[in-house]
Amino acid sequence: MQIRKSKLLTYYSKITAIGILLSGCNITKKVPEGDALYTGHKVKVENASVSNNEKKVITADLQALIRPRPNSRLLGIPFKLGLYNMAGKKNNFINKFLRKNGEPPVLLSSVKLERNLQVLTNTLENRGFFHAKTTADTVVKDKKASASYVANTGSQYKINEVSFPKDSSAISRAIQSISNKTIFKKGDAFNLDVVKGERLRIDAALKEEGFYFFSPDDLIIFVDSTIGNNLTNLYVSFKPDVQMARKQAYTINDIYIYSNYNLNTARRDTLKADSVLYKGYYVIDRNKTFKPLVFEQMMLFKPGDLYNRTDHNQSLNRLTNLGAFKFVKNRFDVVADSFKLNTYYFLTPLPRKSLSAEIGGLTKSNNATGSEVTVRWKNRNAFRGAEQLSINAYFGTEVQVSGSYSGFNTLRYGAELNLSLPRFVIPFFDLNTTGAYVPRTTIQFGYDILQRQKLYSLNSYRANLGYNWKESAQKEHQLNPISVTYVQPLNVTQRYIDSILLYPVLQRAIQPQFILGSTYNYNYNQLVGREKNASGIYFNGLLDVAGNVLGLASGADAKNGKVQSLFGSPFSQYVKAEFDMRLYRKVGLNSQWANRLIVGLGYPYGNSTILPFVKQYFVGGNNSLRGFRSRSVGPGKFVGGQVANRRGFYPDVTGDLKLEMNTEYRPKLFSILYGAVFLDAGNVWLVNDNIDPTTGANLYPGGKFSKNFLKELAVDAGVGLRIDIQILLLRLDLAVPLRKPWLPEGQRTVLNQIDFGSSEWRSNNLILNLGIGLPF
């Protein structure tokens, strides 16, 4: 401890010495004669009728408006000004560097008191202080100057009554109908920002009622402050020079859709000869690239509809989100001598077919290094209905490059077909959403082979029929009424069979699995569209059920030995729910505090006593408990995963229940480099004891969930670095375990065993994770 303390003192002494050196420089040495260094300003608000809290708010707002601002300071020291003053007259590299990274002195001569006073007075008047008075003065001493401002606000005027247009015109009636939703409230203080907000509110409401050409600038709000008692009456009216056409509601006349529009060719708007009329829409597409049915489903406007901004924007969004067009533009033209709009949509398709390849890499703490190559062929308009058909082929490998048990390399290869239809396809039902996002029906088929050399091979089949739709950019639903997974072992080596006799936990990885069920997923992400490191919440909920109909039909009862099979494999029967909740808080300008809680609940019944392996939960690894190797913790206080890991096998220990908690502080260090300090905790458990039918032995002793589950949490902590280059974020995390649940009770906390100087301890406990993207 003494060594660490002395190093810390040395570090701070150096920083202090630099600060003293810079602050000791004559910071006014480059201030011209007759001028002074501007050191800042103060604002004092005088008004006995305003509360102290409101005074603080007004003072802070006024202080932020005053210009210029003085030279920046760090810990009270003008470092950048000191750097600038250190620069000599010569134009060499050092002096250029000092000038570039320093700041020239802010001078008193640049302070315009009258301008600042006018800004302060106008701001106070805009907040209802109609009789505000402001004064200013400067103090100069030793070539340093500061400014002080005094604002005597006077009384603040409040809203008494609000009056809206009362004539019989259509636009006045429309404004009257929405007057009950005004943001003007009797008794509230007058505020110009609220006045602007009311104009925007009225304009937005009128746009929904057909007033296409109307603008917030067409409104004027008169303020009568002569009624006494510091009250105002507000009168909403139209500016006298507003054209009559801007006060009219418009309906949609004809709708023309150029579905194969080329930006490089001239647009032709005389088009009925080239168009196809389909359910009210004129579609211009000589090559018949798209079926007209597509646009009936995408468009929310119909001929004869009253124009409204929501349908306008959402129609554009739906066409954009269709994923078939590179550019989407539209135009409205007034039909002569009428209040009708012809509507034009110009759609430039993306290339119909594409071929791409992706190469990825990874490294793990078990000395495995790998890569994966994916080749993807995509057709964005497979059957002329904007259907997206993609076929992916992939090949991945992980190689054990060192360690006592190297050579347990992994190969994974396969193919996947995905068909996405931009609509709901449900027999006997014709459904269509009216939101900004296009609903999709997805069909998926996949097959892959997993080969773990010297151990075993698995082949798996999967098929899904699902529906995906969004309520908004933040809310998304995904329903898969049919989801099928079939996993079958191919080649199991004698070595692995012999290992199962010693470590029965390894048996689970090669068991046949047949899953026929349904899933529903709901996602809410408040951070969509927000700035990086913003505050917000994230929630993802999953419900997964399987084997219910088969179980009822067959009368399966695995607990009593009555296990039923389908296609030669026992089918799985279970109910599973998972909740992933995250809370993000912005800290300062560029840092963030992130928190995550995952709760997984799986209940096997009927034909199953345990969830199928591919549906079970696990903890440990790159995006989970980073102080433990992947899938090596649990279930409960079971130690088998650690034993298997030391033997060089992938531990793959899993459970039916899961609890995981993570918290991470992510400070920005500089430029593209971010740091991280984190704490992880969690474990998995089984619902039932897993008994070997041959020997009667419990395969996972200590793995069953009990009331003592909190005492069985694994805990780790660590630090990390992130390199964020916008298109890619590289992550490096270093973590150590703080609590090991498989140890005897009373010995599970291992803080006292941390020894960075021991190579053996580092080998067993220091876990390095390299990843792409944030862990959560």
Side-chain angles (χ1 to χ4, degrees):
M1 289 297 294
Q2 186 63 39
I3 294 176
R4 293 181 181 176
K5 185 175 181 181
S6 65
K7 286 183 177 179
L8 194 64
L9 289 172
T10 302
Y11 172 77
Y12 279 112
S13 65
K14 290 180 179 179
I15 294 295
T16 305
I18 294 172
I20 293 172
L21 176 64
L22 288 177
S23 62
C25 297
N26 183 4
I27 59 175
T28 62
K29 76 173 186 177
K30 292 194 176 181
V31 174
E33 287 298 325
D35 212 333
L37 177 69
Y38 180 60
T39 59
H41 60 265
K42 291 183 179 180
V43 176
K44 182 180 180 182
V45 175
E46 294 181 347
N47 188 336
S49 63
V50 175
S51 67
N52 288 333
N53 286 338
E54 190 172 355
K55 267 187 186 179
K56 291 179 181 178
V57 173
I58 295 172
T59 301
D61 290 346
L62 295 181
Q63 284 180 331
L65 294 171
I66 294 173
R67 295 293 183 272
R69 293 178 178 175
N71 290 103
S72 61
R73 290 174 176 263
L74 179 63
L75 301 176
I77 300 171
F79 278 101
K80 290 191 174 182
L81 176 58
L83 288 174
Y84 185 87
N85 286 340
M86 289 170 64
K89 294 182 179 180
K90 292 183 179 180
N91 200 27
N92 55 32
F93 171 78
I94 295 177
N95 290 333
K96 285 182 179 179
F97 175 83
L98 292 172
R99 293 191 198 102
K100 181 179 179 181
N101 291 278
E103 285 180 353
V106 179
L107 302 176
L108 177 62
S109 58
S110 65
V111 178
K112 309 299 181 185
L113 290 181
E114 290 302 320
R115 177 193 170 279
N116 284 334
L117 287 174
Q118 188 63 46
V119 169
L120 298 184
T121 302
N122 291 343
T123 301
L124 290 170
E125 289 178 351
N126 291 342
R127 298 178 71 152
F129 299 102
F130 294 149
H131 303 296
K133 296 180 180 179
T134 56
T135 59
D137 196 8
T138 57
V139 177
V140 181
K141 184 179 180 182
D142 298 330
K143 296 193 72 173
K144 298 178 185 178
S146 62
S148 60
Y149 299 84
V150 178
N152 192 323
T153 63
S155 299
Q156 188 175 31
Y157 281 68
K158 300 184 183 298
I159 296 173
N160 180 47
E161 292 182 355
V162 182
S163 177
F164 293 90
K166 292 184 172 62
D167 61 83
S168 60
S169 66
I171 191 169
S172 294
R173 292 198 306 271
I175 293 176
Q176 279 289 337
S177 69
I178 59 169
S179 62
N180 61 327
K181 296 181 180 178
T182 178
I183 60 177
F184 290 139
K185 304 298 179 185
K186 186 173 183 177
D188 284 358
F190 174 86
N191 192 312
L192 185 61
D193 289 337
V194 178
V195 172
K196 294 177 180 178
E198 177 69 1
R199 292 170 62 192
L200 292 173
R201 182 194 71 86
I202 293 173
D203 175 66
L206 292 177
K207 287 293 190 293
E208 300 300 313
E209 299 296 329
F211 296 93
Y212 174 73
F213 292 104
F214 193 78
S215 164
D217 291 334
D218 295 333
L219 287 172
I220 186 170
I221 298 178
F222 296 102
V223 181
D224 182 2
S225 61
T226 64
I227 62 177
N229 297 322
N230 299 322
L231 296 175
T232 62
N233 286 338
L234 305 181
Y235 301 91
V236 180
S237 185
F238 303 104
K239 290 182 179 179
D241 57 349
V242 178
Q243 298 176 1
M244 185 59 63
R246 301 175 71 85
K247 295 183 180 180
Q248 297 295 330
Y250 287 77
T251 58
I252 302 300
N253 187 46
D254 290 333
I255 300 175
Y256 302 100
I257 301 171
Y258 292 82
S259 59
N260 195 18
Y261 179 68
N262 190 332
L263 293 174
N264 296 323
T265 60
R267 184 177 66 234
R268 294 183 299 131
D269 292 342
T270 54
L271 33 79
K272 285 195 176 182
D274 299 330
S275 65
V276 173
L277 179 62
Y278 182 83
K279 294 189 177 181
Y281 302 100
Y282 291 97
V283 181
I284 299 88
D285 185 358
R286 288 184 174 182
N287 297 328
K288 300 187 184 302
T289 308
F290 294 92
K291 297 176 181 176
L293 168 70
V294 175
F295 306 107
E296 181 210 2
Q297 296 167 337
M298 295 302 107
M299 300 299 302
L300 300 181
F301 277 134
K302 289 184 173 61
D305 286 354
L306 193 68
Y307 169 86
N308 73 80
R309 179 181 284 173
T310 297
D311 286 350
H312 175 188
N313 291 336
Q314 291 191 349
S315 294
L316 290 173
N317 286 337
R318 288 168 73 87
L319 289 167
T320 301
N321 294 325
L322 194 58
F325 300 106
K326 186 177 183 179
F327 301 109
V328 176
K329 297 174 60 179
N330 88 310
R331 189 183 83 234
F332 293 93
D333 287 347
V334 178
V335 178
D337 300 323
S338 73
F339 300 118
K340 296 182 179 181
L341 298 171
N342 279 340
T343 308
Y344 302 87
Y345 289 87
F346 305 101
L347 314 177
T348 303
L350 286 161
R352 183 168 184 171
K353 298 177 182 179
S354 64
L355 183 66
S356 61
E358 297 177 2
I359 300 177
L362 60 89
T363 181
K364 296 182 178 179
S365 293
N366 57 3
N367 298 316
T369 300
S371 63
E372 182 172 282
V373 178
T374 302
V375 178
R376 179 178 292 109
W377 177 86
K378 189 172 187 177
N379 188 327
R380 295 182 178 88
N381 189 23
F383 309 112
R384 296 178 46 238
E387 303 91 350
Q388 296 190 5
L389 174 67
S390 65
I391 300 176
N392 307 330
Y394 47 86
F395 177 86
T397 178
E398 289 182 14
V399 179
Q400 199 100 2
V401 295
S402 64
S404 302
Y405 294 88
S406 61
F408 295 98
N409 303 330
T410 300
L411 298 178
R412 179 176 177 266
Y413 51 93
E416 184 178 88
L417 182 146
N418 292 281
L419 177 62
S420 176
L421 311 173
R423 55 192 172 275
F424 285 123
V425 179
I426 304 175
F428 313 112
F429 290 94
D430 184 13
L431 298 178
N432 190 24
T433 61
T434 58
Y437 297 89
V438 179
R440 290 193 174 274
T441 300
T442 58
I443 301 171
Q444 180 190 77
F445 296 97
Y447 170 77
D448 62 34
I449 295 179
L450 176 68
Q451 292 183 350
R452 288 186 170 171
Q453 295 180 359
K454 302 183 183 179
L455 302 177
Y456 59 83
S457 297
L458 297 175
N459 66 345
S460 62
Y461 306 84
R462 59 187 179 280
N464 289 287
L465 170 64
Y467 305 97
N468 183 284
W469 70 99
K470 284 187 174 184
E471 292 183 52
S472 64
Q474 292 81 26
K475 300 178 183 179
E476 183 174 3
H477 304 262
Q478 184 171 351
L479 173 65
N480 292 319
I482 301 176
S483 179
V484 182
T485 302
Y486 178 63
V487 180
Q488 183 183 38
L490 287 179
N491 300 306
V492 182
T493 66
Q494 188 61 45
R495 180 174 187 171
Y496 196 76
I497 294 172
D498 293 340
S499 298
I500 291 174
L501 298 177
L502 295 174
Y503 309 106
V505 63
L506 301 175
Q507 174 66 40
R508 291 284 296 153
I510 60 170
Q511 287 180 336
Q513 301 165 62
F514 183 82
I515 306 169
L516 174 60
S518 305
T519 64
Y520 168 72
N521 192 88
Y522 171 75
N523 183 272
Y524 174 72
N525 188 354
Q526 205 175 52
L527 301 179
V528 172
R530 295 192 179 183
E531 61 179 342
K532 186 181 294 184
N533 300 321
S535 296
I537 61 174
Y538 170 95
F539 173 80
N540 190 81
L542 171 69
L543 179 64
D544 184 354
V545 296
N548 299 300
V549 175
L550 292 175
L552 288 172
S554 64
D557 186 1
K559 284 188 176 180
N560 294 314
K562 190 178 180 182
V563 177
Q564 304 294 336
S565 296
L566 190 65
F567 302 117
S569 297
F571 62 84
S572 298
Q573 191 173 0
Y574 62 86
V575 176
K576 175 184 173 182
E578 182 176 338
F579 308 96
D580 182 347
M581 295 156 280
R582 308 176 192 179
L583 175 64
Y584 300 90
R585 282 289 175 263
K586 187 173 183 178
V587 181
L589 293 177
N590 297 300
S591 301
Q592 188 182 58
W593 181 31
N595 304 273
R596 177 175 68 176
L597 170 65
I598 299 178
V599 179
L601 305 170
Y603 182 71
Y605 67 101
N607 208 45
S608 301
T609 59
I610 189 170
L611 291 186
F613 185 72
V614 295
K615 294 290 185 177
Q616 284 193 303
Y617 300 106
F618 66 89
V619 292
N622 202 10
N623 297 319
S624 181
L625 271 63
R626 286 161 281 183
F628 300 89
R629 304 189 194 280
S630 181
R631 302 190 180 209
S632 65
V633 179
K637 53 188 177 182
F638 177 60
V639 72
Q642 306 304 314
V643 175
N645 185 64
R646 287 194 294 271
R647 296 260 317 162
F649 295 121
Y650 294 86
D652 280 342
V653 288
T654 53
D656 303 321
L657 308 172
K658 175 179 179 177
L659 175 63
E660 182 176 334
M661 298 166 283
N662 314 87
T663 184
E664 180 172 289
Y665 174 57
R666 301 165 178 168
K668 182 173 183 178
L669 302 179
F670 57 86
S671 185
I672 61 172
L673 187 65
Y674 290 76
V677 181
F678 56 84
L679 182 70
D680 306 316
N683 205 335
V684 295
W685 294 268
L686 297 173
V687 171
N688 304 304
D689 284 325
N690 195 231
I691 306 300
D692 190 323
T694 304
T695 64
N698 187 353
L699 299 179
Y700 298 88
K704 187 177 179 180
F705 183 81
S706 71
K707 63 181 181 180
N708 297 318
F709 70 97
L710 289 177
K711 296 180 180 180
E712 298 170 0
L713 291 177
V715 182
D716 69 71
V719 296
L721 290 175
R722 289 92 169 88
I723 302 174
D724 187 357
I725 54 175
Q726 300 299 323
I727 61 172
L728 181 68
L729 187 146
L730 298 176
R731 173 166 55 94
L732 183 67
D733 289 327
L734 187 65
V736 297
L738 304 181
R739 199 167 189 278
K740 300 178 178 180
W742 58 86
L743 296 178
E745 195 167 349
Q747 302 177 27
R748 293 172 182 170
T749 301
V750 293
L751 272 168
N752 60 334
Q753 299 176 17
I754 294 177
D755 185 4
F756 290 100
S758 168
S759 60
E760 182 180 357
W761 181 89
R762 293 197 305 269
S763 176
N764 294 327
N765 296 277
L766 203 57
I767 308 298
L768 181 66
N769 296 280
L770 179 64
I772 297 176
L774 293 171
F776 57 91

